[in-house]
Structures are given as C-alpha cells and as structure tokens.
Amino acid sequence: MRIVSGTHKSKRITAPKNLPVRPTTDMAKESLFNILNNDYYFDEIRVLDLFSGTGNISYEFASRGTEQILCVDANLNCIRFIQKTADELGFNAITMIKADVFEFLEKHKNEHDVIFADAPYGLEGLDKIVEIVFAKKLLSIDGVLVLEHAKEQDFSNLPFFAHKRRYGNVNFSFFEWPEKEEDND
C-alpha cells in the first residue's frame, strides 16, 4: 500500500503478513479522498478511523494535514503497527485505542467530521455502527460516515444513507445528516 497524496505522497508502507487485515486498495482510497476533498479542508477536520487495521486511511489523512485522527482496532498487533508507522512517519496527529469498535462507540462522546469504518467484509451488525453514530451524535452536522464493505452488503435502506460508490471490489456507503443534504441543494 502507498500514501496517495500530501507530504508523504508515494510513500510505500508494508504491513506484516501476520496482521488480520485487508487494506483499502490504492485506487479506491484515491477515489474516496477525491470525493472528500470536495467537501473538506483536511487540516480542519477530526477523523475517527474504525477497524483501523494497518492505519492505511489514517496515514492518508495525516499526510494531507489532518491534525486529529483517532484509530480504533481490537487487534493489539494492528495498534502496535500503526503506532510504529506513525512514529516513523512523524504523524503526531494519530492516536490509537485498542478496543472493540461497537463497545467503543457506545462509550465515546466526541464528535467527528469524518468517520471511516472498514470492518472485515461480511461482518454482521455493521448497520449498528450507523445507528450508534447518529443516535449518539458522534458525527458533526456537516460530517460524513463512510462504510467500506463487500458488494453483497447493501445499506441503502438505512436511515441517513446518502449514496454508494463502487471501485472494483471495494464499496463505500456514505451516510450524512439530512441537514447537510439540504445545505447542498
């Protein structure tokens, strides 16, 4: 995997083979960030990266100037890898928490502008993430929740669904507050 843009553009990162991860492809990540770039100044947002895995998405935000990035993953080896890589790259903006994502969300109180969740494909209960994020108002009014998921999963019937994008085998479903959609009209 590589960092697509920003201060560390083209930097390759190699994760250990023993991590239970499936990093977002560079093509899909570049497309996602092109979408986000239209709505956000990266140096002004707060990011929550759920199921962080290798930290691939967080490194991209940090490289583009985001100063508040919180990574959550239940796997200690993933957290250690993110910490080591963030230190090597000088990404002081990245903070890691080892926790079950669902339990973390139930207790978390801070608001974020971008929440990205890349759960293991096929994981049951992803709709619960959407439910918790909006019920607890963890997403800012102009924010976006992005779920990365397998093509077999469909979240278009959930409240706050805005749109879906597909890049090869990678699918992103976007969720927003209705007020944001009205602001864009």
Side-chain angles (χ1 to χ4, degrees):
M1 74 186 142
R2 69 181 173 87
I3 296 176
V4 175
S5 188
T7 59
H8 289 70
K9 181 179 180 177
S10 300
K11 173 73 177 164
R12 293 209 170 273
I13 298 166
T14 305
K17 295 195 184 307
N18 64 342
L19 293 183
V21 296
R22 172 205 28 79
T24 304
T25 64
D26 290 346
M27 178 190 75
K29 182 172 60 168
E30 184 170 14
S31 299
L32 171 65
F33 276 84
N34 286 340
I35 293 168
L36 295 175
N37 192 47
N38 289 325
D39 290 331
Y40 301 101
Y41 294 106
F42 292 114
D43 61 344
E44 297 177 0
I45 62 172
R46 296 154 306 199
V47 173
L48 177 59
D49 183 2
L50 303 172
F51 304 99
S52 300
T54 61
N56 185 18
I57 295 296
S58 292
Y59 308 140
E60 194 68 44
F61 277 110
S63 181
R64 293 168 187 245
T66 303
E67 296 181 9
Q68 294 182 43
I69 305 163
L70 181 58
C71 297
V72 180
D73 201 285
N75 186 291
L76 182 59
N77 290 328
C78 288
I79 294 297
R80 286 179 177 154
F81 178 75
I82 295 169
Q83 181 68 63
K84 177 180 172 279
T85 305
D87 289 346
E88 288 172 0
L89 297 174
F91 289 154
N92 300 326
I94 299 176
T95 303
M96 284 75 45
I97 294 179
K98 181 192 176 299
D100 173 85
V101 166
F102 297 98
E103 291 173 13
F104 169 82
L105 288 174
E106 290 288 357
K107 295 175 185 171
H108 192 60
K109 293 179 176 41
N110 296 336
E111 191 176 87
H112 302 274
D113 302 298
V114 175
I115 300 175
F116 181 80
D118 182 11
Y121 279 10
L123 180 71
E124 294 294 321
L126 280 186
D127 53 333
K128 185 120 175 99
I129 290 174
V130 177
E131 179 184 321
I132 296 169
V133 163
F134 285 92
K136 294 194 69 188
K137 298 184 169 125
L138 301 177
L139 187 66
S140 67
I141 199 69
D142 293 324
V144 65
L145 165 63
V146 181
L147 288 184
E148 180 175 336
H149 57 88
K151 64 182 177 187
E152 298 80 24
Q153 293 174 293
D154 179 17
F155 299 101
S156 61
N157 61 333
L158 294 180
F160 309 106
F161 177 82
H163 57 93
K164 177 182 171 182
R165 299 288 173 92
R166 190 174 128 222
Y167 305 96
N169 293 326
V170 178
N171 294 265
F172 297 120
S173 287
F174 295 77
F175 299 85
E176 301 172 344
W177 289 105
E179 293 86 353
K180 180 178 180 180
E181 292 172 8
E182 291 171 9
D183 288 346
N184 291 336
D185 290 343

